[in-house]
Structures are given as C-alpha cells and as structure tokens.
Amino acid sequence: MNMISRRKFMAVAGAAAAVSVLAACGGSSSSTSSSTASSAASSASSAASSEAAAEGTAVSYVALCCDTGTIDDESFNQACWTAVQNYMGDNCQYYIPEADASDEDRETMIRQAVNDGADTVVCVGYLYGASLAWAAEQYPDTRFIAVDVTQADIGTDAIPTNCYCITFKEEQAGYLAGYAIAKDGYTHLGFLGGMAVPAVIRYGYGFVQGVDAAAQETGNAVDINYFYGGQFYGDANITSRMEGWYTSGTEVVFACGGGIYTSALEAAIKSNGYIIGVDVDQNYIGANGVADGTYEYNPFITSAMKQLTTAVEDALGDIDSGEWGTIAATNGNFGLQEGDYVGLPTAEGSWNFRTFTVEEYEAVKEKIASGEIVVDNSSEDSVKPTTSELVTVNYVQ
C-alpha cells in the first residue's frame, strides 16, 4: 500500500475503527487461535510474507502481540490495536497473553503469528524483550515493531536488524499532568501505578516533578500517595485501597497502568473524587458515564497521553514507503522535542480544569520542547525524584 492509497484508506478505516475496536480483525489468547481471515487469505498472506520482508517495502499482514490485560483496555493495548486496524483493515490479528505469561509463552505467540502469515509483528510492552531476541534470530525475514521495548530489554549487543523499537518520554507527559493539576489548586494527590515497569515508572517520576514545580510557583504544600498495584487491571483489593485514599482526603488520583484505572474510577465516584487518565484521552469514559446515568459528573480531569497510535501507524507507513532500512535496528524515542508525541488533551470536552488554562499549558509544554525545562527520566523504581520541602510523597508498599 503506497502512501497515497494509505491516506484514502485511513479516511474509511479510521471511521470504521471508531465504531468498534474489535470489529475489523480477529483475536487470540495465548492458548487459542481464531483468525477472521479465510484460510485462503491466510495462505496468501503467508506466501507474501517472505517476499515482502525481503523487499522491505510492502506490509501485507500484521500481528499484534499484546501486553498483559485486554484488547479493549481503553489504554495501551487498545491504542496499538487501533493503529494496526486503521492501517491494515482486515489483514491483521491480535494475540493476548495470560496474566502470568512467561518468555516461552510470548515466543509461542510470536511463532503462532508468523505461522498465521504475519510479515510484520508488533510486540507491545517491555516484557517482550527476551522473546524478541529469540524471534529476531528465528525469523530473520519477519519485521518486528517493538513498542516500549529498548535494546537493554532485548539484551543483545545491538537492536536486531529486523527490529524497530518505539519508546516514549512518558516523564514529560507525567510532568505536564502533575504541573497542571497542582497549578489548578489540588493539593492532596495520588499516583496509582500498575506494574512497576519502566514506562509506568517514568510517568510517575515525571508526575512528582511536575507537581513540585507547580508547588514552588503557587507556594501550596502538596502531599502525594504513591502505590503500585502490581497488575494492569482493577480488582476489589485495589478499589478498597483507593476508597481509603479518597475518604482520607485525596482529591485526584493519576491512574497509570492499563485497566487498573477502573479501581480508581469506582472509588472516585463514591467520594466525588477525580482521576487523571493515561496513554490515551480517557475523558470519554467519564463522559459516557454521565450520559448513561452511572454518575452525575465527569471524574476525569485530564489524561497524560502518548501518541501510541500515531507512532505505530507511522512505522507501518515507513515500511510501505520503502523506509524500513532507515528505521530498522534503531530506537525511536518520542517526546516533545520530536513533535506532539506526549501531552494532555486540549479539546474543550477533555479540558476539565478549574482555573488552569490551555495557554498556560502550552507555555510550559514549549519550555519542555525547547529544553528550558528538563524532566529527569529515571526508570528505576529505587530512584525517587527529589522534591522541595513543599511536596511530601508517601511511598506505599
């Protein structure tokens, strides 16, 4: 598909994908497989795979190997799946690992994807690192797009020649969310992380830095409860903990980790509290809840976003335009210096701050983009951000 035909396709496929994220293609768990494509189409894809990879140009069939969680997590997996759907229409498939999937389980999913005819496999999450080291060698004619995966995760001396890594500067998005919420006058905050993986750690690390910067400007003392749930989904135990936070005075929780936001959301609406979404603009979740009568107000103030869909679509487009050789064996690390790859949603319906303005947001965003503000990007959980005496962080075990 050339770039002109891609633009024409996107106008149709993008609208179709908006109707249902699960409509266009099939999906599999780590233990089952059900392709929506006919066996004839699958065979054709398999035959085309080798030729496409050798030429390094056309994309004919894409597999998405997901992170733990669900395909409709309204966050990380769903954003990447939307990109694949938008670009490929029916010529795609997803695979979901079990919650306790091992490296061998991920290798099995990749093997299944290649056997099903994928010439390009998108792997989501740093846990695919070791499996990618194996897969890149095992399937030299298959292209791998690795989202939130680095060379260190893969563990090889260099990024394999048939692999392209995509990472983001989540610390910048976290900083913007923390700065905005503290400038808006909120002083009792929470950070609910999923698993303490590098991307989630960077979100939280940046969040604390942004809160601290705003606190120094306003002079307000701010406290932050900080906790990792150890999973990417909500449950009764996490909901109970969040209820404790809100009833003890927490005003806003940054829920960062796939479907774990459901626990923060459930607790928030019981106490008229608020939430910050992650990865994508999650305002619509709250808006839908208001529309269907689940609750009377939108608990989502904003979302710390990274443009997952854009980055994955761009990579597929680069392959189609003959640029695979340019991006293969590299790590695209996207933030504000590279464009609007991270940030907060500014659409009127998604901007639910009390006094903090879009103009103020754009000003601090520009300072990060220009390098005037440098956000530390540690992804080691043992390293905590330094704060002024105005900010107290309670790291909950």
Side-chain angles (χ1 to χ4, degrees), residues 3 6 9-10 13-14 17 59 79-88 122 145 147 164 166 307-321 327 341:
M3 293 305 290
R6 178 196 176 206
F9 171 77
M10 286 285 288
V59 181
C80 293
W81 179 229
T82 298
V84 172
Q85 283 189 302
N86 283 350
Y87 204 93
M88 297 307 300
V122 181
I145 298 172
V147 185
Y164 170 53
I166 295 173
Q307 298 299 334
L308 291 154
T309 302
T310 299
V312 173
E313 286 182 9
D314 285 350
L316 294 172
D318 286 341
I319 296 171
D320 268 346
S321 61
I327 64 173
Y341 281 97

PDB file of all heavy atoms in Angstrom, residues 3 6 9-10 13-14 17 59 79-88 122 145 147 164 166 307-321 327 341:
ATOM      1  N   MET A   3       1.723   5.432   0.021  1.00  0.00           N
ATOM      2  CA  MET A   3       1.259   6.434   0.985  1.00  0.00           C
ATOM      3  C   MET A   3      -0.011   7.126   0.517  1.00  0.00           C
ATOM      4  O   MET A   3      -0.839   7.538   1.319  1.00  0.00           O
ATOM      5  CB  MET A   3       2.375   7.462   1.228  1.00  0.00           C
ATOM      6  CG  MET A   3       3.578   6.875   1.923  1.00  0.00           C
ATOM      7  SD  MET A   3       3.160   6.058   3.483  1.00  0.00           S
ATOM      8  CE  MET A   3       2.731   7.489   4.473  1.00  0.00           C
ATOM      9  N   ARG A   6      -2.789   4.829   1.242  1.00  0.00           N
ATOM     10  CA  ARG A   6      -2.960   4.772   2.686  1.00  0.00           C
ATOM     11  C   ARG A   6      -3.844   5.913   3.156  1.00  0.00           C
ATOM     12  O   ARG A   6      -4.746   5.728   3.964  1.00  0.00           O
ATOM     13  CB  ARG A   6      -1.604   4.834   3.387  1.00  0.00           C
ATOM     14  CG  ARG A   6      -1.743   4.814   4.913  1.00  0.00           C
ATOM     15  CD  ARG A   6      -0.486   5.249   5.608  1.00  0.00           C
ATOM     16  NE  ARG A   6      -0.719   5.299   7.041  1.00  0.00           N
ATOM     17  CZ  ARG A   6      -0.045   6.060   7.873  1.00  0.00           C
ATOM     18  NH1 ARG A   6       0.891   6.848   7.430  1.00  0.00           N
ATOM     19  NH2 ARG A   6      -0.295   6.046   9.156  1.00  0.00           N
ATOM     20  N   PHE A   9      -7.353   5.163   2.377  1.00  0.00           N
ATOM     21  CA  PHE A   9      -7.821   4.075   3.221  1.00  0.00           C
ATOM     22  C   PHE A   9      -8.128   4.550   4.618  1.00  0.00           C
ATOM     23  O   PHE A   9      -9.120   4.162   5.220  1.00  0.00           O
ATOM     24  CB  PHE A   9      -6.769   2.964   3.253  1.00  0.00           C
ATOM     25  CG  PHE A   9      -7.065   1.893   4.255  1.00  0.00           C
ATOM     26  CD1 PHE A   9      -8.017   0.928   3.993  1.00  0.00           C
ATOM     27  CD2 PHE A   9      -6.404   1.861   5.474  1.00  0.00           C
ATOM     28  CE1 PHE A   9      -8.293  -0.047   4.923  1.00  0.00           C
ATOM     29  CE2 PHE A   9      -6.676   0.881   6.392  1.00  0.00           C
ATOM     30  CZ  PHE A   9      -7.622  -0.073   6.120  1.00  0.00           C
ATOM     31  N   MET A  10      -7.280   5.431   5.141  1.00  0.00           N
ATOM     32  CA  MET A  10      -7.433   5.886   6.521  1.00  0.00           C
ATOM     33  C   MET A  10      -8.754   6.597   6.737  1.00  0.00           C
ATOM     34  O   MET A  10      -9.356   6.517   7.795  1.00  0.00           O
ATOM     35  CB  MET A  10      -6.277   6.813   6.894  1.00  0.00           C
ATOM     36  CG  MET A  10      -4.968   6.088   7.108  1.00  0.00           C
ATOM     37  SD  MET A  10      -4.965   5.230   8.677  1.00  0.00           S
ATOM     38  CE  MET A  10      -4.834   6.657   9.757  1.00  0.00           C
ATOM     39  N   ALA A  13     -11.153   3.561   7.027  1.00  0.00           N
ATOM     40  CA  ALA A  13     -10.843   2.638   8.118  1.00  0.00           C
ATOM     41  C   ALA A  13     -10.871   3.321   9.459  1.00  0.00           C
ATOM     42  O   ALA A  13     -11.250   2.719  10.463  1.00  0.00           O
ATOM     43  CB  ALA A  13      -9.480   1.998   7.888  1.00  0.00           C
ATOM     44  N   GLY A  14     -10.430   4.579   9.513  1.00  0.00           N
ATOM     45  CA  GLY A  14     -10.444   5.297  10.787  1.00  0.00           C
ATOM     46  C   GLY A  14     -11.855   5.437  11.325  1.00  0.00           C
ATOM     47  O   GLY A  14     -12.109   5.275  12.504  1.00  0.00           O
ATOM     48  N   ALA A  17     -13.046   2.005  12.510  1.00  0.00           N
ATOM     49  CA  ALA A  17     -12.431   1.596  13.773  1.00  0.00           C
ATOM     50  C   ALA A  17     -13.070   2.300  14.946  1.00  0.00           C
ATOM     51  O   ALA A  17     -13.129   1.772  16.046  1.00  0.00           O
ATOM     52  CB  ALA A  17     -10.930   1.871  13.744  1.00  0.00           C
ATOM     53  N   VAL A  59       3.627  -4.019   3.438  1.00  0.00           N
ATOM     54  CA  VAL A  59       3.069  -4.698   4.597  1.00  0.00           C
ATOM     55  C   VAL A  59       1.810  -5.400   4.125  1.00  0.00           C
ATOM     56  O   VAL A  59       0.897  -4.765   3.606  1.00  0.00           O
ATOM     57  CB  VAL A  59       2.699  -3.706   5.722  1.00  0.00           C
ATOM     58  CG1 VAL A  59       2.150  -4.450   6.922  1.00  0.00           C
ATOM     59  CG2 VAL A  59       3.899  -2.869   6.116  1.00  0.00           C
ATOM     60  N   ALA A  79      -4.877   1.200  22.103  1.00  0.00           N
ATOM     61  CA  ALA A  79      -4.313   2.237  21.243  1.00  0.00           C
ATOM     62  C   ALA A  79      -3.456   1.628  20.128  1.00  0.00           C
ATOM     63  O   ALA A  79      -3.511   2.063  18.977  1.00  0.00           O
ATOM     64  CB  ALA A  79      -3.487   3.212  22.074  1.00  0.00           C
ATOM     65  N   CYS A  80      -2.666   0.617  20.476  1.00  0.00           N
ATOM     66  CA  CYS A  80      -1.826  -0.036  19.463  1.00  0.00           C
ATOM     67  C   CYS A  80      -2.672  -0.852  18.501  1.00  0.00           C
ATOM     68  O   CYS A  80      -2.406  -0.895  17.296  1.00  0.00           O
ATOM     69  CB  CYS A  80      -0.775  -0.920  20.136  1.00  0.00           C
ATOM     70  SG  CYS A  80       0.463   0.005  21.073  1.00  0.00           S
ATOM     71  N   TRP A  81      -3.698  -1.501  19.021  1.00  0.00           N
ATOM     72  CA  TRP A  81      -4.595  -2.289  18.166  1.00  0.00           C
ATOM     73  C   TRP A  81      -5.329  -1.384  17.191  1.00  0.00           C
ATOM     74  O   TRP A  81      -5.529  -1.718  16.013  1.00  0.00           O
ATOM     75  CB  TRP A  81      -5.561  -3.067  19.040  1.00  0.00           C
ATOM     76  CG  TRP A  81      -6.576  -3.915  18.324  1.00  0.00           C
ATOM     77  CD1 TRP A  81      -7.917  -3.932  18.559  1.00  0.00           C
ATOM     78  CD2 TRP A  81      -6.334  -4.894  17.308  1.00  0.00           C
ATOM     79  NE1 TRP A  81      -8.527  -4.855  17.750  1.00  0.00           N
ATOM     80  CE2 TRP A  81      -7.577  -5.462  16.968  1.00  0.00           C
ATOM     81  CE3 TRP A  81      -5.189  -5.335  16.646  1.00  0.00           C
ATOM     82  CZ2 TRP A  81      -7.716  -6.454  15.994  1.00  0.00           C
ATOM     83  CZ3 TRP A  81      -5.320  -6.324  15.673  1.00  0.00           C
ATOM     84  CH2 TRP A  81      -6.572  -6.873  15.353  1.00  0.00           C
ATOM     85  N   THR A  82      -5.741  -0.210  17.655  1.00  0.00           N
ATOM     86  CA  THR A  82      -6.408   0.751  16.777  1.00  0.00           C
ATOM     87  C   THR A  82      -5.495   1.144  15.623  1.00  0.00           C
ATOM     88  O   THR A  82      -5.938   1.261  14.469  1.00  0.00           O
ATOM     89  CB  THR A  82      -6.830   1.997  17.569  1.00  0.00           C
ATOM     90  OG1 THR A  82      -7.772   1.623  18.573  1.00  0.00           O
ATOM     91  CG2 THR A  82      -7.464   3.040  16.660  1.00  0.00           C
ATOM     92  N   ALA A  83      -4.195   1.335  15.909  1.00  0.00           N
ATOM     93  CA  ALA A  83      -3.244   1.686  14.857  1.00  0.00           C
ATOM     94  C   ALA A  83      -3.175   0.590  13.803  1.00  0.00           C
ATOM     95  O   ALA A  83      -3.201   0.854  12.595  1.00  0.00           O
ATOM     96  CB  ALA A  83      -1.859   1.928  15.456  1.00  0.00           C
ATOM     97  N   VAL A  84      -3.081  -0.656  14.258  1.00  0.00           N
ATOM     98  CA  VAL A  84      -2.984  -1.780  13.325  1.00  0.00           C
ATOM     99  C   VAL A  84      -4.264  -1.890  12.513  1.00  0.00           C
ATOM    100  O   VAL A  84      -4.240  -2.076  11.289  1.00  0.00           O
ATOM    101  CB  VAL A  84      -2.696  -3.092  14.084  1.00  0.00           C
ATOM    102  CG1 VAL A  84      -2.796  -4.293  13.156  1.00  0.00           C
ATOM    103  CG2 VAL A  84      -1.310  -3.031  14.723  1.00  0.00           C
ATOM    104  N   GLN A  85      -5.411  -1.762  13.162  1.00  0.00           N
ATOM    105  CA  GLN A  85      -6.693  -1.814  12.455  1.00  0.00           C
ATOM    106  C   GLN A  85      -6.815  -0.686  11.433  1.00  0.00           C
ATOM    107  O   GLN A  85      -7.239  -0.908  10.300  1.00  0.00           O
ATOM    108  CB  GLN A  85      -7.846  -1.699  13.443  1.00  0.00           C
ATOM    109  CG  GLN A  85      -8.133  -2.966  14.217  1.00  0.00           C
ATOM    110  CD  GLN A  85      -9.430  -2.808  14.988  1.00  0.00           C
ATOM    111  OE1 GLN A  85      -9.561  -1.886  15.802  1.00  0.00           O
ATOM    112  NE2 GLN A  85     -10.376  -3.676  14.735  1.00  0.00           N
ATOM    113  N   ASN A  86      -6.492   0.520  11.872  1.00  0.00           N
ATOM    114  CA  ASN A  86      -6.589   1.665  10.976  1.00  0.00           C
ATOM    115  C   ASN A  86      -5.808   1.438   9.700  1.00  0.00           C
ATOM    116  O   ASN A  86      -6.248   1.781   8.602  1.00  0.00           O
ATOM    117  CB  ASN A  86      -6.052   2.933  11.657  1.00  0.00           C
ATOM    118  CG  ASN A  86      -7.022   3.526  12.658  1.00  0.00           C
ATOM    119  OD1 ASN A  86      -8.174   3.116  12.742  1.00  0.00           O
ATOM    120  ND2 ASN A  86      -6.550   4.494  13.415  1.00  0.00           N
ATOM    121  N   TYR A  87      -4.631   0.870   9.865  1.00  0.00           N
ATOM    122  CA  TYR A  87      -3.732   0.728   8.718  1.00  0.00           C
ATOM    123  C   TYR A  87      -4.025  -0.500   7.877  1.00  0.00           C
ATOM    124  O   TYR A  87      -3.923  -0.467   6.656  1.00  0.00           O
ATOM    125  CB  TYR A  87      -2.273   0.686   9.185  1.00  0.00           C
ATOM    126  CG  TYR A  87      -1.306   1.109   8.108  1.00  0.00           C
ATOM    127  CD1 TYR A  87      -0.886   2.435   8.009  1.00  0.00           C
ATOM    128  CD2 TYR A  87      -0.860   0.199   7.161  1.00  0.00           C
ATOM    129  CE1 TYR A  87      -0.034   2.838   7.005  1.00  0.00           C
ATOM    130  CE2 TYR A  87      -0.003   0.597   6.148  1.00  0.00           C
ATOM    131  CZ  TYR A  87       0.410   1.910   6.079  1.00  0.00           C
ATOM    132  OH  TYR A  87       1.242   2.310   5.070  1.00  0.00           O
ATOM    133  N   MET A  88      -4.427  -1.594   8.521  1.00  0.00           N
ATOM    134  CA  MET A  88      -4.488  -2.874   7.821  1.00  0.00           C
ATOM    135  C   MET A  88      -5.890  -3.346   7.468  1.00  0.00           C
ATOM    136  O   MET A  88      -6.048  -4.302   6.703  1.00  0.00           O
ATOM    137  CB  MET A  88      -3.809  -3.962   8.676  1.00  0.00           C
ATOM    138  CG  MET A  88      -2.334  -3.734   8.919  1.00  0.00           C
ATOM    139  SD  MET A  88      -1.377  -3.466   7.406  1.00  0.00           S
ATOM    140  CE  MET A  88      -1.666  -5.015   6.527  1.00  0.00           C
ATOM    141  N   VAL A 122       3.881  -6.618  15.647  1.00  0.00           N
ATOM    142  CA  VAL A 122       4.002  -5.530  16.611  1.00  0.00           C
ATOM    143  C   VAL A 122       3.910  -6.131  18.011  1.00  0.00           C
ATOM    144  O   VAL A 122       2.895  -6.737  18.362  1.00  0.00           O
ATOM    145  CB  VAL A 122       2.896  -4.475  16.414  1.00  0.00           C
ATOM    146  CG1 VAL A 122       3.058  -3.331  17.418  1.00  0.00           C
ATOM    147  CG2 VAL A 122       2.897  -3.940  14.989  1.00  0.00           C
ATOM    148  N   ILE A 145       8.102  -4.688  15.171  1.00  0.00           N
ATOM    149  CA  ILE A 145       7.966  -3.346  15.739  1.00  0.00           C
ATOM    150  C   ILE A 145       7.727  -3.540  17.228  1.00  0.00           C
ATOM    151  O   ILE A 145       6.733  -4.152  17.634  1.00  0.00           O
ATOM    152  CB  ILE A 145       6.810  -2.572  15.086  1.00  0.00           C
ATOM    153  CG1 ILE A 145       7.061  -2.380  13.585  1.00  0.00           C
ATOM    154  CG2 ILE A 145       6.615  -1.219  15.776  1.00  0.00           C
ATOM    155  CD1 ILE A 145       5.871  -1.797  12.839  1.00  0.00           C
ATOM    156  N   VAL A 147       7.076  -1.974  20.815  1.00  0.00           N
ATOM    157  CA  VAL A 147       6.592  -0.771  21.482  1.00  0.00           C
ATOM    158  C   VAL A 147       6.913  -0.833  22.974  1.00  0.00           C
ATOM    159  O   VAL A 147       6.592  -1.816  23.652  1.00  0.00           O
ATOM    160  CB  VAL A 147       5.078  -0.602  21.278  1.00  0.00           C
ATOM    161  CG1 VAL A 147       4.600   0.727  21.889  1.00  0.00           C
ATOM    162  CG2 VAL A 147       4.721  -0.664  19.800  1.00  0.00           C
ATOM    163  N   TYR A 164      12.502  -2.766  15.067  1.00  0.00           N
ATOM    164  CA  TYR A 164      12.445  -1.323  15.292  1.00  0.00           C
ATOM    165  C   TYR A 164      11.777  -1.082  16.636  1.00  0.00           C
ATOM    166  O   TYR A 164      10.651  -1.526  16.871  1.00  0.00           O
ATOM    167  CB  TYR A 164      11.650  -0.646  14.175  1.00  0.00           C
ATOM    168  CG  TYR A 164      11.319   0.818  14.414  1.00  0.00           C
ATOM    169  CD1 TYR A 164      12.311   1.745  14.741  1.00  0.00           C
ATOM    170  CD2 TYR A 164      10.009   1.280  14.298  1.00  0.00           C
ATOM    171  CE1 TYR A 164      12.003   3.087  14.943  1.00  0.00           C
ATOM    172  CE2 TYR A 164       9.690   2.613  14.483  1.00  0.00           C
ATOM    173  CZ  TYR A 164      10.692   3.512  14.820  1.00  0.00           C
ATOM    174  OH  TYR A 164      10.393   4.845  15.014  1.00  0.00           O
ATOM    175  N   ILE A 166      10.143   1.325  19.577  1.00  0.00           N
ATOM    176  CA  ILE A 166       9.431   2.589  19.785  1.00  0.00           C
ATOM    177  C   ILE A 166       9.295   2.811  21.291  1.00  0.00           C
ATOM    178  O   ILE A 166       8.732   1.970  21.998  1.00  0.00           O
ATOM    179  CB  ILE A 166       8.031   2.568  19.155  1.00  0.00           C
ATOM    180  CG1 ILE A 166       8.117   2.457  17.624  1.00  0.00           C
ATOM    181  CG2 ILE A 166       7.245   3.828  19.542  1.00  0.00           C
ATOM    182  CD1 ILE A 166       6.760   2.274  16.960  1.00  0.00           C
ATOM    183  N   GLN A 307       1.348   9.274  22.049  1.00  0.00           N
ATOM    184  CA  GLN A 307       0.690   9.002  20.780  1.00  0.00           C
ATOM    185  C   GLN A 307       1.078   7.626  20.237  1.00  0.00           C
ATOM    186  O   GLN A 307       1.761   7.492  19.235  1.00  0.00           O
ATOM    187  CB  GLN A 307       1.023  10.115  19.782  1.00  0.00           C
ATOM    188  CG  GLN A 307       0.543  11.490  20.194  1.00  0.00           C
ATOM    189  CD  GLN A 307      -0.973  11.549  20.340  1.00  0.00           C
ATOM    190  OE1 GLN A 307      -1.700  10.794  19.720  1.00  0.00           O
ATOM    191  NE2 GLN A 307      -1.443  12.468  21.175  1.00  0.00           N
ATOM    192  N   LEU A 308       0.595   6.601  20.923  1.00  0.00           N
ATOM    193  CA  LEU A 308       0.872   5.227  20.537  1.00  0.00           C
ATOM    194  C   LEU A 308       0.352   4.922  19.139  1.00  0.00           C
ATOM    195  O   LEU A 308       1.059   4.348  18.304  1.00  0.00           O
ATOM    196  CB  LEU A 308       0.223   4.273  21.545  1.00  0.00           C
ATOM    197  CG  LEU A 308       0.829   4.251  22.946  1.00  0.00           C
ATOM    198  CD1 LEU A 308      -0.213   3.826  23.965  1.00  0.00           C
ATOM    199  CD2 LEU A 308       2.032   3.333  23.001  1.00  0.00           C
ATOM    200  N   THR A 309      -0.886   5.295  18.884  1.00  0.00           N
ATOM    201  CA  THR A 309      -1.486   5.003  17.588  1.00  0.00           C
ATOM    202  C   THR A 309      -0.699   5.664  16.461  1.00  0.00           C
ATOM    203  O   THR A 309      -0.390   5.033  15.448  1.00  0.00           O
ATOM    204  CB  THR A 309      -2.953   5.472  17.570  1.00  0.00           C
ATOM    205  OG1 THR A 309      -3.676   4.812  18.622  1.00  0.00           O
ATOM    206  CG2 THR A 309      -3.621   5.152  16.242  1.00  0.00           C
ATOM    207  N   THR A 310      -0.347   6.917  16.654  1.00  0.00           N
ATOM    208  CA  THR A 310       0.402   7.643  15.631  1.00  0.00           C
ATOM    209  C   THR A 310       1.753   6.998  15.372  1.00  0.00           C
ATOM    210  O   THR A 310       2.157   6.807  14.209  1.00  0.00           O
ATOM    211  CB  THR A 310       0.606   9.105  16.056  1.00  0.00           C
ATOM    212  OG1 THR A 310      -0.664   9.733  16.216  1.00  0.00           O
ATOM    213  CG2 THR A 310       1.417   9.878  15.024  1.00  0.00           C
ATOM    214  N   ALA A 311       2.475   6.656  16.424  1.00  0.00           N
ATOM    215  CA  ALA A 311       3.820   6.099  16.267  1.00  0.00           C
ATOM    216  C   ALA A 311       3.798   4.756  15.548  1.00  0.00           C
ATOM    217  O   ALA A 311       4.647   4.481  14.692  1.00  0.00           O
ATOM    218  CB  ALA A 311       4.499   5.972  17.619  1.00  0.00           C
ATOM    219  N   VAL A 312       2.822   3.897  15.882  1.00  0.00           N
ATOM    220  CA  VAL A 312       2.737   2.593  15.226  1.00  0.00           C
ATOM    221  C   VAL A 312       2.307   2.756  13.772  1.00  0.00           C
ATOM    222  O   VAL A 312       2.862   2.116  12.870  1.00  0.00           O
ATOM    223  CB  VAL A 312       1.767   1.665  15.989  1.00  0.00           C
ATOM    224  CG1 VAL A 312       1.539   0.362  15.208  1.00  0.00           C
ATOM    225  CG2 VAL A 312       2.316   1.346  17.375  1.00  0.00           C
ATOM    226  N   GLU A 313       1.327   3.627  13.516  1.00  0.00           N
ATOM    227  CA  GLU A 313       0.921   3.878  12.134  1.00  0.00           C
ATOM    228  C   GLU A 313       2.081   4.438  11.317  1.00  0.00           C
ATOM    229  O   GLU A 313       2.271   4.062  10.149  1.00  0.00           O
ATOM    230  CB  GLU A 313      -0.259   4.839  12.097  1.00  0.00           C
ATOM    231  CG  GLU A 313      -1.579   4.232  12.533  1.00  0.00           C
ATOM    232  CD  GLU A 313      -2.725   5.214  12.423  1.00  0.00           C
ATOM    233  OE1 GLU A 313      -2.530   6.305  11.857  1.00  0.00           O
ATOM    234  OE2 GLU A 313      -3.825   4.887  12.901  1.00  0.00           O
ATOM    235  N   ASP A 314       2.847   5.343  11.921  1.00  0.00           N
ATOM    236  CA  ASP A 314       3.991   5.918  11.214  1.00  0.00           C
ATOM    237  C   ASP A 314       5.001   4.842  10.827  1.00  0.00           C
ATOM    238  O   ASP A 314       5.562   4.862   9.730  1.00  0.00           O
ATOM    239  CB  ASP A 314       4.678   6.978  12.077  1.00  0.00           C
ATOM    240  CG  ASP A 314       3.893   8.280  12.148  1.00  0.00           C
ATOM    241  OD1 ASP A 314       2.923   8.443  11.392  1.00  0.00           O
ATOM    242  OD2 ASP A 314       4.267   9.134  12.987  1.00  0.00           O
ATOM    243  N   ALA A 315       5.230   3.894  11.747  1.00  0.00           N
ATOM    244  CA  ALA A 315       6.183   2.827  11.458  1.00  0.00           C
ATOM    245  C   ALA A 315       5.701   1.953  10.307  1.00  0.00           C
ATOM    246  O   ALA A 315       6.481   1.594   9.409  1.00  0.00           O
ATOM    247  CB  ALA A 315       6.408   1.979  12.711  1.00  0.00           C
ATOM    248  N   LEU A 316       4.415   1.619  10.299  1.00  0.00           N
ATOM    249  CA  LEU A 316       3.865   0.828   9.195  1.00  0.00           C
ATOM    250  C   LEU A 316       3.949   1.605   7.889  1.00  0.00           C
ATOM    251  O   LEU A 316       4.251   1.039   6.835  1.00  0.00           O
ATOM    252  CB  LEU A 316       2.418   0.444   9.500  1.00  0.00           C
ATOM    253  CG  LEU A 316       2.217  -0.516  10.686  1.00  0.00           C
ATOM    254  CD1 LEU A 316       0.733  -0.666  11.017  1.00  0.00           C
ATOM    255  CD2 LEU A 316       2.842  -1.872  10.407  1.00  0.00           C
ATOM    256  N   GLY A 317       3.707   2.907   7.970  1.00  0.00           N
ATOM    257  CA  GLY A 317       3.821   3.743   6.776  1.00  0.00           C
ATOM    258  C   GLY A 317       5.247   3.817   6.261  1.00  0.00           C
ATOM    259  O   GLY A 317       5.488   3.819   5.046  1.00  0.00           O
ATOM    260  N   ASP A 318       6.219   3.866   7.174  1.00  0.00           N
ATOM    261  CA  ASP A 318       7.620   3.880   6.760  1.00  0.00           C
ATOM    262  C   ASP A 318       7.980   2.603   6.003  1.00  0.00           C
ATOM    263  O   ASP A 318       8.726   2.632   5.020  1.00  0.00           O
ATOM    264  CB  ASP A 318       8.531   4.039   7.982  1.00  0.00           C
ATOM    265  CG  ASP A 318       8.528   5.441   8.546  1.00  0.00           C
ATOM    266  OD1 ASP A 318       8.122   6.373   7.815  1.00  0.00           O
ATOM    267  OD2 ASP A 318       8.914   5.614   9.711  1.00  0.00           O
ATOM    268  N   ILE A 319       7.440   1.475   6.473  1.00  0.00           N
ATOM    269  CA  ILE A 319       7.706   0.217   5.770  1.00  0.00           C
ATOM    270  C   ILE A 319       7.126   0.277   4.367  1.00  0.00           C
ATOM    271  O   ILE A 319       7.792  -0.058   3.379  1.00  0.00           O
ATOM    272  CB  ILE A 319       7.110  -0.971   6.548  1.00  0.00           C
ATOM    273  CG1 ILE A 319       7.793  -1.121   7.909  1.00  0.00           C
ATOM    274  CG2 ILE A 319       7.267  -2.268   5.743  1.00  0.00           C
ATOM    275  CD1 ILE A 319       7.119  -2.141   8.819  1.00  0.00           C
ATOM    276  N   ASP A 320       5.879   0.732   4.258  1.00  0.00           N
ATOM    277  CA  ASP A 320       5.226   0.787   2.951  1.00  0.00           C
ATOM    278  C   ASP A 320       5.903   1.742   1.983  1.00  0.00           C
ATOM    279  O   ASP A 320       5.853   1.551   0.776  1.00  0.00           O
ATOM    280  CB  ASP A 320       3.755   1.192   3.123  1.00  0.00           C
ATOM    281  CG  ASP A 320       2.838  -0.017   3.269  1.00  0.00           C
ATOM    282  OD1 ASP A 320       3.297  -1.139   2.983  1.00  0.00           O
ATOM    283  OD2 ASP A 320       1.678   0.158   3.663  1.00  0.00           O
ATOM    284  N   SER A 321       6.520   2.765   2.521  1.00  0.00           N
ATOM    285  CA  SER A 321       7.176   3.743   1.650  1.00  0.00           C
ATOM    286  C   SER A 321       8.630   3.390   1.378  1.00  0.00           C
ATOM    287  O   SER A 321       9.374   4.204   0.816  1.00  0.00           O
ATOM    288  CB  SER A 321       7.085   5.146   2.269  1.00  0.00           C
ATOM    289  OG  SER A 321       7.743   5.195   3.528  1.00  0.00           O
ATOM    290  N   ILE A 327      14.692   2.745   9.524  1.00  0.00           N
ATOM    291  CA  ILE A 327      14.289   2.655  10.927  1.00  0.00           C
ATOM    292  C   ILE A 327      14.687   1.332  11.582  1.00  0.00           C
ATOM    293  O   ILE A 327      14.751   1.252  12.808  1.00  0.00           O
ATOM    294  CB  ILE A 327      12.772   2.880  11.094  1.00  0.00           C
ATOM    295  CG1 ILE A 327      11.962   1.769  10.394  1.00  0.00           C
ATOM    296  CG2 ILE A 327      12.378   4.252  10.575  1.00  0.00           C
ATOM    297  CD1 ILE A 327      10.459   1.858  10.669  1.00  0.00           C
ATOM    298  N   TYR A 341       4.210  14.166  20.588  1.00  0.00           N
ATOM    299  CA  TYR A 341       4.063  12.738  20.863  1.00  0.00           C
ATOM    300  C   TYR A 341       3.625  12.451  22.295  1.00  0.00           C
ATOM    301  O   TYR A 341       3.237  11.330  22.603  1.00  0.00           O
ATOM    302  CB  TYR A 341       5.369  11.995  20.557  1.00  0.00           C
ATOM    303  CG  TYR A 341       5.567  11.742  19.086  1.00  0.00           C
ATOM    304  CD1 TYR A 341       6.348  12.591  18.311  1.00  0.00           C
ATOM    305  CD2 TYR A 341       4.957  10.658  18.461  1.00  0.00           C
ATOM    306  CE1 TYR A 341       6.525  12.358  16.959  1.00  0.00           C
ATOM    307  CE2 TYR A 341       5.135  10.416  17.106  1.00  0.00           C
ATOM    308  CZ  TYR A 341       5.911  11.267  16.357  1.00  0.00           C
ATOM    309  OH  TYR A 341       6.088  11.047  15.009  1.00  0.00           O
TER     310      TYR A 341
END
